[in-house]
Amino acid sequence: MAEAAISQGSLRAIFERGIEAAPSPVMQCVQIKPMDSKTGGDPQRYRVVLSDIQNFIQTMLAAPLAPLVTEGTLKKGSIVRLKSFQPQAVKGRQILILVDVEVLEEYGELEKLGMPVQLETTEPVDQKPQPAAISGNNFYGNQSNGNSKPAPQSRSLPSHPQSNSGDASLYPIEALSPYAHKWTIKARCTQKGEMKTWQNKNGEGKLFSVNLLDESSEIRGTAFKEIADDLYDVFQVGMVYFISNCKVVFAKKQFSNLPNDYELHFERDSTVEKADDQEGAPKVRYNFTKIGSLDAVEKDSTIDTVGVLKSVGDVEEIIGKNSNRPFSKRELTLADDTLTSVRLTIWGNLAMTFDAPLESVIAFKGVKVSEFGGRSLSLLSSGSMDVDPDIDEAHKLKGWYDAEGRQGNYTSHAGLAGNTGGRKQEYKTVQQVKDEEAGLGEDTVYFNLKASVVYVKPDTFAYPACSNDVDGRPCNKKVVEDNPGEWRCERCSIAHPRPTYRYIMSVNVSDYTGQLWLSLFDKEGAVVMNMTANQLTEMKASDEEQGTTMSQDAFLEATCRTYDFRIRAKMDTFQDTPRVRYGVQFINPLDFKRECARLIETLKKYDIKSEDSLFVH
Amino acid sequence: MTEATPRILAPYLSQFQGQTVRILGKVVQLAGETAFIDAGGKVTLDLKTNRDCHLAVGNAVEIIGKVDSNLEVKVFTSTDMGQGIDFDAANAVVDATHKYKEIFYE
């Protein structure tokens, strides 16, 4: 029955509680009257009286819907569903502007249902004081007394009521531009900055900014001076607001981390209202970059990232260079499943009150990448931090960390500070090493090299050393065999019956770009040869006596093995020729897992350059 | 084996319909004559032609099979790879082979 279909009482609900109280209400059309257009060329507009059985109300049919009447779809007595409409109060009377309706033709045209009465004009919902000119359009406000509004201005769109949610012209943030005139957005405030004051030659002032987010995009809004005072308390992080009538200007990218060409300036007649429906906008949108890919990110760019908190530094106070004001800062180390870690600095209040537990997953939005010490991150004042957020990426990281990440070795992005004696963990190829030889100068350069042993020089691979302990460490000075069976150390003045041989070998290693001679000392030599220097010396001695080739075999065995070398390169002057000597500090067998991750990252870099990434990493 | 069996993951199934392929995935579920593995996405395996392949849930398995029209894979043979497979690395390898496919298959 048609009566049942009608949303009885919806009119009252709309005007008392707002548009959400009656979504898509169904009403009966009890009267249709055309309105004369004041100026020629205006499409016919229709005044429609709608009833919800309890009340009736005047409505204006928006111009695009006029054909519904002219073609006879909408007739007196028809039942209609209001899909999109705007309540308005005009000269104390309530009316609706109908933007989109659906005629429910199945009910046909009926006699007026019930005995509706004119809706009483109670206080309108959330009405802000209306300026006299709501760019008066001539198609409403014509009640039976035919009063018209003050001179119409723009008639292209219905003007936005300063109050009420469910604005018909609800724009997505993405559609905002300086050319859009009347718009309303429904967005969540994802970040509110602190009130900042400035002084320059023009005087002084204050401002604050907010980040606003809806399903389409995000945008930054700034309010200055008195407007800032008014709006500062209105905005709360996490709440959804209807915002309209701000100036849309080009964004000042240096102050904002949001991917929008425009930003908003709140003006005196901009409106900001808390929305009843807080669910309409997403919480925060992240676009994460993996920590391992940071090498490829340009410095000073802004990214989002998520990682497991590996370490937290103490709060430090530093004095700003330019401002001479004290800042608090704190360094965190984050790592993720690319097996790389990076330092991230947080500032101010956040640094002082930071207390997230180690090994928690933290998502950061609005982080600047800098080249300081390799690659490091800094949380912008417009950025935000979320501990253990309820998003897929965070859960994935947590799962990975619990399973493997805890034991993993991480390559650090940070070059200086907080690393093994502050050295860069940079991998070079042999070609790179050779190219950079010239630039070595007086400094010692450290780098990593993944290469295979190709040849071990069999002569002079070890020397006899003094094994006497000096200050807890073996003396290791070369001992001389003065008399057979007596090896004398000059430093310690002790004679040893048998010296301890220590490796001092030259090894030729090779990677796909070239070959290089490295010097290894005892510990590393033992890894390469897989035996101690003493053993090898004995082997050699017995070879000479017995004609065996055991030592030669041993040397052969050492070849064709790939290791991860940590190398120190230093310029030495050898009989008037400067030569670079490459000494091995550490030697590590390949950790396949880490190498794999590193190779994947390297491959990805090729992708990023060609903007054609297939990796579903 | 004279036949080329490109290595694929779930997202590539549609590209290789009707072809014989190789997939490395983690066994997620066994259901009689079908099984489900996770190889960058869910892949359904049809085991009617290879009943005696014993798949263990949670283990990695490499299967060689043919992709049929409803994107299920008829298994010809399977090899259990046990635990400890780094799937991230393995999947990245597959993606790399497709990106540079001239090197790997026609």
Side-chain angles (χ1 to χ4, degrees):
Chain A
M1 275 308 306
E3 258 188 62
I6 295 212
S7 318
Q8 297 196 33
S10 52
L11 285 171
R12 181 173 298 281
I14 291 170
F15 284 98
E16 282 180 358
R17 297 204 298 277
I19 209 175
E20 275 93 6
S24 292
V26 178
M27 302 190 197
Q28 183 186 28
C29 164
V30 291
Q31 180 69 265
I32 305 183
K33 282 214 170 69
M35 287 162 39
D36 305 314
S37 39
K38 281 268 150 66
T39 47
D42 222 12
Q44 275 280 0
R45 290 223 159 83
Y46 289 92
R47 185 157 59 86
V48 177
V49 181
L50 290 182
S51 142
D52 73 350
I53 297 186
Q54 289 187 14
N55 297 102
F56 69 79
I57 192 173
Q58 310 280 353
T59 72
M60 307 312 307
L61 203 59
L65 298 178
L68 284 176
V69 176
T70 54
E71 286 164 13
T73 321
L74 175 62
K75 294 204 268 277
K76 181 167 152 186
S78 297
I79 307 292
V80 297
R81 184 200 313 278
L82 277 57
K83 288 166 73 173
S84 178
F85 59 95
Q86 269 179 61
Q88 280 264 20
V90 171
K91 281 179 120 41
R93 275 194 224 265
Q94 310 289 12
I95 68 159
L96 297 179
I97 311 284
L98 304 177
V99 180
D100 192 6
V101 302
E102 186 188 336
V103 180
L104 303 177
E105 294 182 58
E106 58 265 31
Y107 296 111
E109 288 80 55
L110 304 166
E111 291 296 321
K112 182 159 91 169
L113 293 164
M115 293 290 297
V117 296
Q118 170 84 29
L119 187 65
E120 283 152 26
T121 56
T122 48
E123 272 309 309
V125 175
D126 277 349
Q127 185 108 28
K128 285 225 177 66
Q130 301 226 11
I134 318 174
S135 71
N137 304 343
N138 65 348
F139 60 88
Y140 68 87
N142 288 6
Q143 307 290 358
S144 36
N145 48 9
N147 285 349
S148 59
K149 299 294 303 180
Q153 290 153 12
S154 69
R155 275 190 267 107
S156 44
L157 291 173
S159 73
H160 289 238
Q162 300 290 45
S163 56
N164 301 96
S165 27
D167 200 304
S169 302
L170 200 53
Y171 271 49
I173 288 184
E174 216 173 37
L176 286 177
S177 77
Y179 310 105
H181 290 296
K182 308 270 179 196
W183 48 262
T184 303
I185 55 170
K186 180 176 176 185
R188 188 184 299 274
C189 170
T190 53
Q191 198 258 357
K192 181 168 97 168
E194 286 163 9
M195 190 71 92
K196 300 194 192 61
T197 58
W198 80 80
Q199 281 163 337
N200 59 18
K201 61 176 173 1
N202 294 341
E204 56 172 33
K206 55 172 132 175
L207 66 90
F208 81 99
S209 297
V210 288
N211 285 358
L212 302 164
L213 167 71
D214 76 358
E215 283 97 10
S216 67
S217 180
E218 317 177 60
I219 194 168
R220 195 168 168 72
T222 312
F224 295 89
K225 299 192 192 157
E226 303 86 24
I227 309 171
D229 280 328
D230 292 336
L231 288 178
Y232 192 73
D233 296 320
V234 175
F235 273 115
Q236 275 148 36
V237 178
M239 304 301 284
V240 181
Y241 298 90
F242 285 100
I243 297 162
S244 51
N245 236 338
C246 311
K247 195 160 155 199
V248 184
V249 300
F250 281 105
K252 297 180 204 53
K253 287 287 171 120
Q254 69 258 48
F255 294 121
S256 165
N257 59 313
L258 297 179
N260 199 319
D261 291 332
Y262 302 112
E263 56 184 34
L264 303 176
H265 281 183
F266 292 103
E267 308 264 290
R268 191 165 292 288
D269 45 358
S270 310
T271 60
V272 176
E273 280 171 42
K274 203 149 98 153
D276 291 330
D277 167 21
Q278 285 291 318
E279 288 315 308
K283 292 269 158 65
V284 195
R285 182 182 295 110
Y286 286 107
N287 188 5
F288 292 122
T289 310
K290 285 278 170 193
I291 294 181
S293 332
L294 283 178
D295 264 343
V297 176
E298 269 193 47
K299 79 169 184 121
D300 289 343
S301 53
T302 312
I303 55 157
D304 304 336
T305 190
V306 60
V308 177
L309 187 64
K310 290 227 89 188
S311 80
V312 182
D314 289 324
V315 174
E316 295 162 31
E317 291 263 337
I318 58 170
I319 309 286
K321 288 192 290 277
N322 302 333
S323 54
N324 274 341
R325 277 194 345 238
F327 281 86
S328 323
K329 68 173 249 207
R330 199 194 275 262
E331 268 191 21
L332 318 168
T333 310
L334 272 194
D336 73 0
D337 49 1
T338 53
L339 288 182
T340 25
S341 66
V342 69
R343 280 172 310 139
L344 191 148
T345 312
I346 51 176
W347 306 88
N349 234 355
L350 197 55
M352 293 201 279
T353 56
F354 186 82
D355 68 348
L358 280 181
E359 299 191 348
S360 56
V361 177
I362 313 191
F364 290 93
K365 184 166 180 66
V367 170
K368 188 169 94 156
V369 180
S370 88
E371 244 179 14
F372 183 67
R375 272 287 183 276
S376 59
L377 303 177
S378 168
L379 186 62
L380 294 172
S381 60
S382 59
S384 65
M385 174 181 104
D386 205 349
V387 180
D388 279 331
D390 183 15
I391 47 180
D392 291 331
E393 193 57 49
H395 295 310
K396 197 164 92 118
L397 266 183
K398 192 124 196 126
W400 160 81
Y401 191 73
D402 285 335
E404 314 165 15
R406 223 169 253 132
Q407 295 87 349
N409 336 328
Y410 292 90
T411 345
S412 173
H413 265 297
L416 318 161
N419 204 354
T420 53
R423 294 186 203 127
K424 285 211 287 227
Q425 296 234 15
E426 208 184 314
Y427 277 89
K428 290 194 194 283
T429 60
V430 169
Q431 188 60 48
Q432 273 178 302
V433 171
K434 292 204 165 154
D435 289 339
E436 291 169 20
E437 252 181 42
L440 210 42
E442 287 297 315
D443 312 321
T444 325
V445 175
Y446 292 91
F447 56 88
N448 292 343
L449 176 67
K450 177 176 109 171
S452 310
V453 173
V454 165
Y455 181 63
V456 181
K457 212 150 165 224
D459 2 296
T460 327
F461 55 85
Y463 72 97
C466 170
S467 46
N468 192 30
D469 266 329
V470 178
D471 293 333
R473 284 171 63 204
C475 162
N476 280 345
K477 187 160 166 62
K478 184 165 176 182
V479 295
V480 184
E481 192 177 15
D482 287 336
N483 305 316
E486 260 192 39
W487 300 79
R488 201 170 65 81
C489 171
E490 284 168 6
R491 191 192 293 165
C492 313
S493 306
I494 299 182
H496 298 279
R498 299 174 63 109
T500 311
Y501 280 91
R502 290 179 61 78
Y503 282 111
I504 176 72
M505 45 181 13
S506 282
V507 159
N508 186 300
V509 303
S510 191
D511 74 359
Y512 61 94
T513 60
Q515 49 86 9
L516 199 60
W517 284 96
L518 306 178
S519 331
L520 287 93
F521 296 100
D522 193 56
K523 207 157 66 118
E524 295 75 41
V527 174
V528 168
M529 295 301 300
N530 208 17
M531 60 179 73
T532 65
N534 280 337
Q535 286 172 314
L536 190 54
T537 316
E538 276 176 33
M539 226 187 257
K540 194 143 185 219
S542 71
D543 275 355
E544 279 164 26
E545 289 166 28
Q546 294 162 24
T548 50
T549 54
M550 282 202 308
S551 64
Q552 277 165 299
D553 292 338
F555 282 110
L556 250 184
E557 265 301 305
T559 61
C560 296
R561 289 179 198 276
T562 314
Y563 300 97
D564 201 337
F565 298 95
R566 178 143 186 82
I567 297 184
R568 167 215 261 162
K570 197 157 163 33
M571 191 75 91
D572 261 355
T573 318
F574 248 31
Q575 300 146 340
D576 294 335
T577 3
R579 273 183 64 198
V580 187
R581 290 179 53 75
Y582 298 98
V584 177
Q585 305 286 108
F586 292 117
I587 186 172
N588 290 313
L590 285 185
D591 174 353
F592 293 114
K593 233 184 165 115
R594 199 163 68 141
E595 285 302 308
C596 229
R598 206 163 60 81
L599 286 171
I600 292 171
E601 286 310 314
T602 316
L603 270 176
K604 262 206 245 172
K605 281 188 213 160
Y606 289 113
D607 277 351
I608 291 174
K609 288 207 188 93
S610 61
E611 288 168 22
D612 180 12
S613 176
L614 281 180
F615 278 102
V616 187
H617 199 49
Chain B
M1 287 190 202
T2 47
E3 204 182 343
T5 52
R7 200 176 265 287
I8 65 164
L9 298 171
Y12 298 98
L13 279 173
S14 53
Q15 248 177 289
F16 288 89
Q17 269 187 43
Q19 292 190 46
T20 311
V21 295
R22 211 180 266 262
I23 307 182
L24 175 72
K26 184 158 156 170
V27 181
V28 171
Q29 200 190 351
L30 300 175
E33 290 180 346
T34 41
F36 297 99
I37 61 170
D38 176 27
K42 202 160 167 184
V43 180
T44 313
L45 304 178
D46 181 349
L47 301 172
K48 292 195 204 59
T49 40
N50 192 351
R51 276 172 221 274
D52 53 353
C53 68
H54 301 291
L55 300 179
V57 176
N59 274 15
V61 67
E62 177 176 78
I63 61 117
I64 303 180
K66 191 165 177 143
V67 184
D68 65 15
S69 46
N70 49 349
L71 299 193
E72 294 187 354
V73 182
K74 274 198 178 31
V75 175
F76 296 147
T77 168
S78 71
T79 319
D80 182 68
M81 299 269 172
Q83 307 272 344
I85 293 272
D86 178 356
F87 286 101
D88 279 342
N91 294 354
V93 168
V94 177
D95 286 328
T97 61
H98 289 288
K99 190 160 162 51
Y100 299 104
K101 62 172 157 25
E102 311 79 42
I103 311 180
F104 295 95
Y105 60 89
E106 267 90 63

